[in-house]
Amino acid sequence: MDTDTGTDAGTDTGAVERAAARRMWHLLEPVHAVVYYAPEAYEEAAALGYGTAERWPAYFAWRAAPLGAAGAEETTAAFHSFSPDMVARYVPESWRIAAPDAVLAARTRAVTRTYATLLGPGADTPGVAEAATLARRVAGAAVPAGPLSAANAALPWPGEPAAALWQAATVIREHRGDGHLRALREAGLDPVESLVSFAAIGAAPPEVFASRGWTPAAWEAARSRLAARGLVDAAGAATEAGRELRAQVERRTDELAAAPWRVLSDDEREHLAKALEPFWIAAIGSGLLPGVNTLGIGKV
C-alpha cells in the first residue's frame, strides 16, 4: 500500500510529505472538534430544538448537515465507524427537527461564538485572516475523496475569519477521513473491525469505542474475525501482523491526505502551523475535548 517513489539525496520525499500531513492534522483536529463540545454549540443546538442531555443529537446534525437531508444508510456509510442502529436513532429525525440549511447556519454561529469565547479579541485579527487564507488554499486543493469532503467543500465560505478557518479545517479533516476509509477498505477492515483493530494496537481502550454504538456481541464477532486472520491474539491484542496492517492503514491515510498540502510551500506551511497555535492551544486548554479519543491522536 505504500507507494512512495520520490527521493532526494537519500531522503524519502513521500515519508516527509506523510509526516507533514499528519502533523497538520494534529494541529487542525482540535480546531475542528471543539465545536462538538462547546457550550455555545449546545445553546445553538437547543435553539433549533435538539436535545442536549447528550452530545449525539447535535453531533449528527452538525456533521451530517452538509450532506443535505441524508437518510440513515447514507449517513452510516459516510461516518463509517458508527453502528447503523445508533445512526438510525438520530437520522433522519435530525431533519424533522431542523432543515439542513438551518443547521448549517447555526453551526457557523456556534463556531463563531465558540472562538470568540476561546480567543476573545484574538478571534478577529490579521493573523487569523491570514491563517484562514492559507487553510482555504489547502482546502481548495483537496480533491473530494468521498461524500463528507465533497459536501463540505461545496459550502459557501463564512465571512468571519475564525469561522472560515474552521470550515477550511473541516474540509481538510473530512478529506483525510474519507481517505482513511479508503485505506481501511483496502485493508479489508469493515467498520467494527476497524475499531477493534485500532483498540488492539492501543489507540484507545475498547470502552472508549463504545461511543460508536456497537453491541458487545458485534465487537466480539469482529474480534473473532480478526483472530481468524491472525491479526489479534486470544486476549484481543494486536499480533505483529495486526500491527503491520494498521501501520499500513496509517501510512496510506497520510499518503492520501498529503496531496492538498503540496499547494503550500514549506515556509507557508510553517507559517500556518504557527498561526494555528492560538487556536489549538485554546481548544485543548479549554478542557472541553476528551483526553482520550477514538482518533488515536497522541497514540498513533
Side-chain angles (χ1 to χ4, degrees):
M1 290 184 186
D2 191 355
T3 58
D4 299 332
T5 57
T7 59
D8 180 10
T11 299
D12 185 340
T13 304
V16 171
E17 290 187 343
R18 290 197 308 270
R22 178 162 291 259
R23 176 196 177 206
M24 297 307 295
W25 168 52
H26 283 198
L27 295 177
L28 285 169
E29 185 62 28
V31 175
H32 165 84
V34 72
V35 75
Y36 299 128
Y37 301 91
E40 294 81 3
Y42 277 93
E43 290 169 4
E44 292 290 347
L48 291 175
Y50 293 105
T52 57
E54 58 174 351
R55 72 184 182 96
W56 299 117
Y59 173 88
F60 280 96
W62 296 144
R63 193 166 174 225
L67 299 172
E73 184 174 353
E74 181 182 353
T75 304
T76 298
F79 283 25
H80 184 75
S81 66
F82 289 87
S83 78
D85 288 345
M86 183 174 180
V87 176
R89 288 201 295 273
Y90 303 104
V91 178
E93 177 64 22
S94 294
W95 319 130
R96 287 191 281 269
I97 295 171
D101 285 349
V103 173
L104 289 170
R107 186 175 82 165
T108 298
R109 290 195 300 271
V111 170
T112 303
R113 292 179 58 203
T114 295
Y115 275 104
T117 298
L118 292 178
L119 296 179
D124 187 16
T125 64
V128 174
E130 187 175 8
T133 297
L134 289 170
R136 280 187 64 173
R137 284 176 57 194
V138 179
V143 177
L148 284 171
S149 55
N152 279 282
L155 296 176
W157 287 93
E160 302 86 351
L165 176 57
W166 183 88
Q167 183 161 315
T170 300
V171 172
I172 295 165
R173 70 93 64 180
E174 296 293 14
H175 174 269
R176 179 186 179 87
D178 286 337
H180 185 59
L181 302 194
R182 175 179 168 182
L184 290 168
R185 288 192 296 268
E186 290 174 352
L189 296 171
D190 68 25
V192 65
E193 290 169 355
S194 299
L195 300 182
V196 174
S197 64
F198 208 33
I201 65 168
E207 54 268 25
V208 171
F209 295 101
S211 65
R212 272 34 189 170
W214 297 98
T215 65
W219 187 272
E220 288 304 318
R223 182 179 286 174
S224 294
R225 293 193 298 273
L226 294 176
R229 292 173 60 184
L231 300 176
V232 299
D233 62 22
T239 62
E240 183 177 348
R243 289 187 174 278
E244 176 55 30
L245 185 66
R246 286 301 316 200
Q248 288 178 7
V249 167
E250 295 304 317
R251 285 196 296 270
R252 181 63 165 147
T253 300
D254 290 338
E255 176 187 298
L256 294 170
W261 290 101
R262 296 177 189 134
V263 75
L264 298 185
S265 68
D266 290 346
D267 286 345
E268 287 173 326
R269 190 174 62 247
E270 288 304 311
H271 192 73
L272 175 57
K274 185 69 175 176
L276 287 172
E277 283 185 4
F279 282 83
W280 64 262
I281 289 173
I284 294 173
S286 71
L288 295 171
L289 297 173
V292 181
N293 58 76
T294 57
L295 299 177
I297 292 179
K299 298 287 188 179
V300 298

